[in-house]
Amino acid sequence: MADQSIKINQFFGGISDSPRKQSVNEFQISKHWDIFTDPLKMTPYRSLEADTETSTNATDLKQYYVQDFLYASGSAKLYGLGQEATGKTKILQKADATTGLWTKPANSEGNGAVQNGCFVEFKDYAWGFQGTNQIFKWGLLSGTPSITNSVSTVATTISSVANGIIAADGNLYLAYNNVIVRVATDTTTVTDNAKIVPTNYKITSLANFGSYMAIGCSPKDSFNGQSKVFLWNLSSDLFQETLDWGEGELRVLETIEGTLIGVTDRYLNNATGAGRGSMIVQAYSGGSVQVLKEIFTKKLTGKTIPLSKAVKNNRLFWAAKKMDNDAGTEFTEGLWSFGRKNSNYPMSLTLDIIDENINTSGIQGFGTAANYFFIAHSGDGSVDKTNDVATYAFTSTYESQIFDAGDATIQKQLSQFTIYTAPIPTGGSITVKLKVDDDTSWTTIGSLSTVGEVSRDFLNIESSGVDFPAFKEIQFQILSTGGAEVCGFKFLPAYLIGNNG
């Protein structure tokens, strides 16, 4: 059998369904890489930085536990929904979302307990729920805002909330428990019980689906039954369609390219999953609901997928955590995305954004302002944002498929590994590692940090000069710091005929 090099220089396929799928454009995981802007290159994202400074001190924002973010439609301002010392609603703001300090506007404190999960702009006001039954608004956002604590009250004690949307009829719709509330364009006419889903469900996510509202629901009692999506034309007494979204808790629902995309937490943090909890991405565009991706956890994650979501650059973003080993000591958490660059490419899943400052308490919520991400994390009021300067202090990680070089029964010797990059920037570095067969840890091959260089060949383990190992299966890890971009890699396996025990 002739020795042939294997080259990978496409990354648009995203996370694969199986690590042993012999794919030229998929991978096991990518973290903190942009794989969409140029599908033939992986570009690191900027690192994130703490964003908790007010005029008082550098960490003053943390005391308010901001979890929801709202980027103003008519200015550069960013608003954050948090709580004051006794747990009541508190709204903070930044004059410029991308930089500067958080401030504490006057007349921005409510009189009821904060209800994080709903914070939406409508008719120059920010809207949400507070206390046990109140709908508040804060505005005018274009002037000097003040809070109206009870624009209206709802009939049932609030136990859960979901995001609000402006629907096809121009009205604002808010969701709590199993109830849809309509707010008319006059901002004073509020209709509780505009629509109700069955009482054994709670509404977790609202989305526009053409002229319909898609109402994402999960079982009221966690993981006790099937999630549903109800399609409603905004006026009928009946739902126009009821979609079975499968087992688990539907947490995030949005529309991408005219298709409903939903993310389900299926036993990620529930022992009834018997160690096979997963995150499922499903889609509906007519007919039946289809499973597109399923990512498994190896141990309970200790947290449910947050309800935060964003649609940007033809992709849906959400936050999630999965455990990577049976001991529960290694985990993957961050902002995942599902979508594609354009219609010439397949829909793909990747772990888009990571934040190395997050502790085991994880992500509580996130928001966006243009290309900036804001992440509430660690359970202590911490907020990080995308750095406003080109700083690449985090490590971007890529882990390849497991390659058998044509036959997993035949022993091979790795003869050469070549990494291809865009010109290495000042301070940039690429490190390459490998695992073979049943290895449990990565072995470093070598690194490339020469400014302006675009490739490097490795013929052995750089640090020791030891030959590469023999293998039946092999996989590679590529790490980037300092903004170094990866354009591809290739490796040459040599078949060891007669040594295949």
Side-chain angles (χ1 to χ4, degrees):
M1 187 178 295
D3 300 336
Q4 292 185 333
S5 64
I6 296 173
K7 185 174 184 178
I8 303 295
N9 64 352
Q10 301 175 352
F11 306 100
F12 55 79
I15 296 172
S16 65
D17 291 325
S18 168
R20 287 179 171 81
K21 180 181 179 182
Q22 301 302 292
S23 172
V24 298
N25 57 39
E26 295 174 290
F27 40 76
Q28 293 186 68
I29 193 72
S30 70
K31 304 176 186 180
H32 215 66
W33 294 101
D34 176 3
I35 66 167
F36 293 95
T37 299
D38 183 344
L40 303 183
K41 181 172 68 173
M42 295 191 297
T43 300
Y45 287 112
R46 292 180 181 181
S47 50
L48 281 74
E49 60 180 346
D51 191 28
T52 53
E53 187 172 4
T54 72
S55 59
T56 302
N57 61 56
T59 60
D60 186 45
L61 183 76
K62 294 177 69 172
Q63 68 177 302
Y64 299 106
Y65 288 88
V66 170
Q67 293 186 24
D68 298 303
F69 303 88
L70 177 60
Y71 187 39
S73 63
S75 70
K77 292 179 180 177
L78 180 74
Y79 305 106
L81 177 61
Q83 57 185 276
E84 44 82 270
T86 64
K88 295 177 182 178
T89 297
K90 174 71 175 177
I91 298 172
L92 293 300
Q93 75 174 38
K94 297 183 71 175
D96 182 344
T98 66
T99 191
L101 307 180
W102 286 91
T103 60
K104 310 166 196 177
N107 304 311
S108 63
E109 292 186 3
N111 64 3
V114 67
Q115 293 281 355
N116 283 112
C118 179
F119 194 42
V120 59
E121 181 181 350
F122 178 63
K123 297 295 181 180
D124 209 21
Y125 289 91
W127 296 76
F129 293 98
Q130 65 175 348
T132 59
N133 64 354
Q134 295 172 279
I135 297 172
F136 76 83
K137 68 178 181 181
W138 186 68
L140 298 168
L141 299 181
S142 59
T144 304
S146 63
I147 196 163
T148 303
N149 280 300
S150 293
V151 179
S152 183
T153 57
V154 298
T156 307
T157 299
I158 298 169
S159 59
S160 65
V161 301
N163 66 291
I165 62 169
I166 301 171
D169 62 1
N171 294 316
L172 171 66
Y173 290 85
L174 307 173
Y176 74 97
N177 301 356
N178 65 321
V179 179
I180 300 290
V181 177
R182 179 189 291 117
V183 180
T185 55
D186 63 8
T187 73
T188 59
T189 303
V190 178
T191 305
D192 191 15
N193 299 325
K195 194 64 179 169
I196 301 175
V197 304
T199 57
N200 57 321
Y201 291 100
K202 62 183 177 184
I203 299 169
T204 54
S205 195
L206 300 181
N208 287 304
F209 184 53
S211 60
Y212 294 93
M213 178 190 296
I215 306 169
C217 301
S218 69
K220 182 179 178 182
D221 300 314
S222 294
F223 306 105
N224 181 19
Q226 307 282 312
S227 287
K228 301 283 186 184
V229 173
F230 299 95
L231 300 184
W232 181 44
N233 66 5
L234 308 176
S235 61
S236 174
D237 290 338
L238 300 176
F239 292 114
Q240 279 55 67
E241 195 156 1
T242 299
L243 306 176
D244 183 354
W245 213 264
E247 192 176 11
E249 186 173 359
L250 175 60
R251 299 293 291 175
V252 171
L253 186 69
E254 261 301 345
T255 302
I256 302 292
E257 295 186 10
T259 297
L260 275 178
I261 304 294
V263 181
T264 297
D265 181 335
R266 185 176 180 270
Y267 312 129
L268 282 177
N269 190 35
N270 191 292
T272 57
R276 295 293 292 169
S278 63
M279 176 179 72
I280 305 174
V281 180
Q282 293 165 275
Y284 173 81
S285 57
S288 60
V289 177
Q290 304 292 318
V291 174
L292 302 182
K293 284 289 179 183
E294 185 170 13
I295 304 296
F296 290 91
T297 187
K298 291 189 175 182
K299 194 176 180 64
L300 298 185
T301 62
K303 67 190 304 291
T304 301
I305 293 175
L307 296 179
S308 302
K309 62 181 180 177
V311 175
K312 301 180 66 61
N313 303 322
N314 205 37
R315 286 177 279 153
L316 170 61
F317 290 81
W318 70 94
K321 177 180 183 178
K322 75 178 187 72
M323 308 307 293
D324 296 330
N325 66 348
D326 294 331
T329 57
E330 299 175 4
F331 62 89
T332 295
E333 183 171 19
L335 304 185
W336 304 71
S337 77
F338 185 81
R340 60 182 175 179
K341 179 180 174 68
N342 56 47
S343 60
N344 294 317
Y345 298 93
M347 291 285 191
S348 59
L349 172 68
T350 187
L351 178 51
D352 230 81
I353 303 292
I354 62 167
D355 185 348
E356 294 181 359
N357 300 319
I358 295 174
N359 68 20
T360 54
S361 294
I363 295 172
Q364 284 73 60
F366 76 94
T368 65
N371 284 334
Y372 284 78
F373 286 88
F374 297 80
I375 300 177
H377 66 87
S378 299
D380 63 357
S382 294
V383 173
D384 286 1
K385 75 169 182 69
T386 304
N387 207 307
D388 51 77
V389 297
T391 299
Y392 301 90
F394 292 174
T395 299
S396 296
T397 303
Y398 163 93
E399 293 181 10
S400 75
Q401 293 293 91
I402 297 173
F403 301 103
D404 62 17
D407 193 333
T409 68
I410 296 178
Q411 193 87 346
K412 282 83 62 175
Q413 177 79 41
L414 180 62
S415 300
Q416 178 177 324
F417 183 93
T418 302
I419 186 75
Y420 302 97
T421 68
I424 297 292
T426 300
S429 178
I430 296 291
T431 299
V432 180
K433 301 184 179 185
L434 62 76
K435 279 183 183 179
V436 301
D437 301 336
D438 61 350
D439 284 353
T440 58
S441 60
W442 295 96
T443 297
T444 299
I445 294 175
S447 61
L448 172 61
S449 58
T450 304
V451 175
E453 190 57 84
V454 295
S455 69
R456 183 167 184 184
D457 296 326
F458 297 94
L459 302 178
N460 51 34
I461 301 299
E462 183 178 56
S463 63
S464 63
V466 172
D467 289 342
F468 288 133
F471 67 91
K472 292 184 177 179
E473 293 183 322
I474 193 168
Q475 55 189 303
F476 300 98
Q477 183 186 71
I478 301 174
L479 308 174
S480 169
T481 56
E485 299 174 300
V486 171
C487 298
F489 64 90
K490 71 177 180 180
F491 64 99
L492 179 62
Y495 287 86
L496 300 178
I497 304 301
N499 185 24
N500 290 293

